[in-house]
Amino acid sequence: MTAYVLPAPQQPSLAVHGSDARFPVRRIFCVGRNYGDHVREMGSPEGEPPVFFTKPADAVVETGATIPYPPDTDDLHHEAELVVVLGRGGTDIAPEAVMDHLWGAACGIDLTRRDRQAEAKKGGKPWDMAKGFDLSAPIGPVAPMPVEVAKGRLRLTVNGETRQDADLSEMIWPVTSHVAHLSRTVALKAGDVIMTGTPAGVAALVPGDVARVEIDGLPPLEVTIGPRA
Ligand code: MN
């Protein structure tokens, strides 16, 4: 046993559908600009390679949670996303081999401080504090493979009203393609989590809002935005 000078931090993890055992989270990668209609609503350049950024592993939040409205923003946005989790790592994974590396999939929300992100883009600065803040990664229970990740309806409602409604088949870089791409940039490992990008319809959340994500074949995710911390 390694001796530590402080108690070692707890291992972040996700609930698993149909099991008491949990999925240990190693790293969280996110794909940006992965649906054409969202790229256009943000005024981002088109026809470029996939954009990746990260969130800390301990940013994960369970379904059913109330998330205090985060500090340092007046424009907290929802981004409904398919989340895939890896049971096996690798480098230079071929697109046709990616499905063998997946352990499961879940519904997620890439919570975003849109005002901080706009400033970062304008100033050529990092996105970290716009994307990787505390409690910025609500992720529902993981459904073990086999799960359909190439197509299926993805929907986000706020207080029952539909805000985002698209199909996974609209991804510019499908799961097989962007995971292969990511594995040429970093060594992926078991426990890695990938948030696969959001379609159009991103908008603000305010205290009291209930945001719910549903994707065909996956357990839903529902979180409440609480008062400012
Ligand atoms: Mn996103």
Side-chain angles (χ1 to χ4, degrees), residues 31 53 79 81 110 131 197-198:
V31 186
F53 57 92
E79 296 192 354
E81 312 203 353
D110 166 12
K131 289 289 197 178
T198 200

